[in-house]
Amino acid sequence: MKRSPRLLLALMLLATVPLASCTKGDECDVCEQDSDCQDGFVCVNFLDGGGNVVGKRCGSGVGASSCRVR
């Protein structure tokens, strides 16, 4: 019976952690390839304030995109 609280805690943790493969493909969602994004968006390099590539996100591919990230 001691495993039940641990199992419940593990399930709750998994339910609250977002997975990259479960994104909707909206603008600013994390992606690996163009097919991860909805129509009208492509998977583009996402830059930090210093111009360094910090990942890939869905965007229009035209001009700079501004995404709020934590």
Side-chain angles (χ1 to χ4, degrees):
M1 288 293 174
K2 290 184 180 183
R3 291 186 181 185
S4 294
R6 289 181 186 169
L7 178 62
L8 182 59
L9 180 61
L11 290 173
M12 288 173 51
L13 180 62
L14 284 174
T16 60
V17 175
L19 301 174
S21 62
C22 295
T23 62
K24 298 176 184 173
D26 293 328
E27 188 171 21
C28 295
D29 282 349
V30 176
C31 61
E32 291 184 16
Q33 55 192 2
D34 290 344
S35 62
D36 294 336
C37 302
Q38 291 183 3
D39 288 342
F41 297 122
V42 293
C43 193
V44 295
N45 287 334
F46 186 72
L47 308 176
D48 65 7
N52 302 309
V53 176
V54 293
K56 292 188 169 204
R57 296 194 177 261
C58 297
S60 66
V62 178
S65 294
S66 178
C67 299
R68 292 184 71 187
V69 295
R70 296 179 201 181

